[in-house]
Amino acid sequence: MSALNSFFEVVFTFFQEMFTYALIAIFLENTIFSRALGTSTALYVIRKKYNIFLFGGVMTLIMAAASVLTYLVYPFLKGLSFSYYIVPPVFVAIIGVVYVGALLLTRSLVHKRREEILQLIHVSAFNCAVLGALLLATGIPFAGFGVYLGFGVGSAIGFTFAAYLISIASERLNSEDIPPAFRGFPITLIYIGIISLALYGLIGHTLPF
Amino acid sequence: MRRTFYQRNQPFLDRLFAFILHNPVLERGLVLAPIVVAAYNVQNALILGVSFALITFITVFLSSLLPQKIPYVFRVIFYALLACAVFVPTAMMMDWMFAESVVNIGVFLPLLVANSLIVVKSETRFHQHPTFGRMIGDLFSNVLGFLLVILLVGLCREWLANGFSLTRTAEGSFSVPAAALPFTGFFLIGLLAALVKKIRGRLENPRPRKSEQREEFLASLQQK
């Protein structure tokens, strides 16, 4: 009975950690609005009119797989005195493995919308959002498996959420109503800045002036 | 209509001033994260700018020597790994030059290895140039453009956060500490991007001179 209890406790802790860190990554430390990671990728996806939710799904799977591998590998690196220099190449190699694996799996298992998904894997695997989320997860003290997985998945969902918020305003931000100098990219950045400011206030910060 | 100096020499001037007119950050929004989040003072901006310049320039230069026979997927992974190899001595050098300041930059220094100019633009832009010299020139103007923007943004934010002074804030003086936060980075880059777009628009479509306006007006009257 006590073994069963401790098993349920472990499962409960795992889901609790995963859910908490996923929420933190989506709202408090949003990849785009809080850290500007992958902003150019989000703008590229919107400009090319890719399906944002399909892109988000692909990115979530890549991020989840990379987070699991990071959780397994990072304990061997963190004790090293030169870990700051060795971590980026190891993480890039992990992303590379996941990237190749995702392409191979898609080629062999996916039949519907295969070409579109392959194209999305190329865009979603190697960017600052993925590498940034992995690097940020290593900075969380006493992080367990749930934390790594939750933070990785949450970062991808947060990225999708941010890209969706930008895309729904994109048509207006590119319209004739905007002065030519601001139309398109400049006003989009100001729009992202306003949402970033709103999120900053929403989570309870007060401006320091 | 009389053509302006810019219009007559547009290809040459576009290449010469590409670091402003076709700036990678202000025109295409590439490598935004370090500028928006970490470049809140001149020192951080300098560390990130110099590191970016070294990592990107050396990586793209070396990656151009890689045979095109290797599949695209492996080339991209190799570019990022090559950038990591350049990152190690660069980070050591920055650590030696700026001592403990590198810690303030956090993940944004290692993140430079996966920047868009290396991972995406190496393949779609730099390696597509017909000559090696053109590639180096384009690469140089992109790196210079980034350096210029990050230093400008770092300078502005430090100036605002320190109460319109680049030294420490004097007691009682008005300052804008929020300038160090990411949303100010977005606003500043948005404003700079608009400024560059305005300049480019004015160069490409200059206002007609008063005499030309008068002639156009008279011609339109005659037509009526």
Side-chain angles (χ1 to χ4, degrees):
Chain A
M1 193 66 183
S2 69
L4 198 66
N5 272 349
S6 59
F7 170 74
F8 279 120
E9 202 175 308
V10 168
V11 172
F12 178 74
T13 311
F14 167 75
F15 280 108
Q16 190 187 26
E17 281 183 350
M18 195 176 88
F19 191 66
T20 308
Y21 276 88
L23 283 180
I24 287 173
I26 296 170
F27 297 108
L28 302 188
E29 295 191 19
N30 186 281
T31 336
I32 292 181
F33 297 132
S34 297
R35 300 197 188 261
L37 297 171
T39 313
S40 60
T41 309
L43 294 176
Y44 178 80
V45 168
I46 293 162
R47 203 167 52 238
K48 292 280 175 184
K49 298 196 188 305
Y50 286 134
N51 183 330
I52 288 173
F53 294 105
L54 187 61
F55 180 86
V58 170
M59 196 182 199
T60 306
L61 290 175
I62 287 176
M63 205 89 105
S67 299
V68 172
L69 290 177
T70 306
Y71 170 74
L72 295 173
V73 170
Y74 187 63
F76 298 104
L77 305 174
K78 67 178 174 187
L80 301 172
S81 58
F82 49 88
S83 68
Y84 181 74
Y85 305 112
I86 202 75
V87 163
V90 174
F91 283 10
V92 164
I94 286 174
I95 297 170
V97 169
V98 173
Y99 178 34
V100 174
L103 288 172
L104 291 174
L105 279 176
T106 308
R107 276 188 202 285
S108 58
L109 297 178
V110 179
H111 301 292
K112 203 177 164 188
R113 303 172 85 171
R114 184 194 288 170
E115 289 308 313
E116 191 184 355
I117 292 173
L118 287 173
Q119 184 66 36
L120 292 179
I121 292 172
H122 289 303
V123 183
S124 62
F126 265 103
N127 59 58
C128 286
V130 177
L131 182 61
L134 299 184
L135 289 169
L136 287 168
T138 60
I140 301 168
F142 311 111
F145 182 57
V147 172
Y148 273 87
L149 192 60
F151 196 80
V153 169
S155 297
I157 295 171
F159 180 90
T160 314
F161 165 65
Y164 177 68
L165 278 185
I166 300 167
S167 77
I168 53 176
S170 161
E171 201 176 313
R172 285 190 180 188
L173 299 177
N174 284 288
S175 71
E176 297 281 319
D177 297 337
I178 308 289
F182 279 90
R183 197 176 298 154
F185 176 65
I187 195 74
T188 305
L189 279 189
I190 292 171
Y191 170 76
I192 295 172
I194 291 168
I195 300 179
S196 169
L197 173 60
L199 275 180
Y200 192 77
L202 190 72
I203 60 180
H205 287 292
T206 47
L207 286 175
F209 48 70
Chain B
M1 190 189 279
R2 191 174 161 275
R3 295 168 77 212
T4 61
F5 179 75
Y6 173 79
Q7 286 171 327
R8 274 180 277 135
N9 303 287
Q10 190 171 3
F12 172 73
L13 290 175
D14 265 353
R15 272 209 302 277
L16 190 66
F17 294 105
F19 67 98
I20 296 172
L21 299 176
H22 301 287
N23 189 289
V25 183
L26 303 179
E27 193 193 33
R28 289 164 275 151
L30 303 175
V31 211
L32 272 176
I35 306 180
V36 167
V37 185
Y40 54 83
N41 60 38
V42 178
Q43 195 178 47
N44 283 5
L46 194 64
I47 296 170
L48 283 165
V50 174
S51 303
F52 171 85
L54 289 171
I55 292 171
T56 307
F57 199 89
I58 297 171
T59 305
V60 177
F61 172 74
L62 291 176
S63 67
S64 69
L65 307 172
L66 200 71
Q68 292 289 310
K69 279 185 237 166
I70 299 170
Y72 169 79
V73 176
F74 296 107
R75 280 206 309 271
V76 171
I77 297 170
F78 182 79
Y79 296 161
L81 286 172
L82 193 61
C84 290
V86 183
F87 159 77
V88 175
T90 308
M92 283 176 169
M93 192 174 83
M94 290 300 135
D95 215 14
W96 174 69
M97 283 168 71
F98 296 97
E100 286 157 16
S101 302
V102 174
V103 178
N104 297 335
I105 294 168
V107 300
F108 290 95
L109 190 57
L111 263 181
L112 292 176
V113 302
N115 79 64
S116 314
L117 289 188
I118 292 173
V119 178
V120 182
K121 296 291 167 188
S122 286
E123 199 64 34
T124 59
R125 184 185 173 107
F126 298 122
H127 297 171
Q128 302 298 325
H129 283 293
T131 61
F132 191 69
R134 278 275 173 90
M135 186 195 82
I136 295 292
D138 191 18
L139 187 54
F140 183 74
S141 78
N142 273 276
V143 165
L144 187 65
F146 176 85
L147 201 58
L148 188 78
V149 173
I150 198 168
L151 286 175
L152 192 62
V153 170
L155 193 75
C156 284
R157 290 168 81 175
E158 186 164 358
W159 184 64
L160 288 169
N162 281 350
F164 306 98
S165 152
L166 284 177
T167 54
R168 291 224 170 261
T169 315
E171 217 168 289
S173 71
F174 178 77
S175 66
V176 189
L181 297 172
F183 53 80
T184 312
F186 280 121
F187 292 150
L188 273 177
I189 298 174
L191 292 174
L192 284 173
L195 180 70
V196 168
K197 205 171 171 187
K198 180 87 181 168
I199 293 170
R200 213 171 44 233
R202 188 54 63 81
L203 285 171
E204 283 164 6
N205 305 299
R207 277 183 188 162
R209 290 178 173 191
K210 278 194 176 169
S211 57
E212 288 170 348
Q213 281 176 337
R214 197 169 54 239
E215 280 168 20
E216 275 177 26
F217 175 69
L218 289 173
S220 68
L221 280 182
Q222 279 174 353
Q223 277 178 357
K224 283 178 185 172

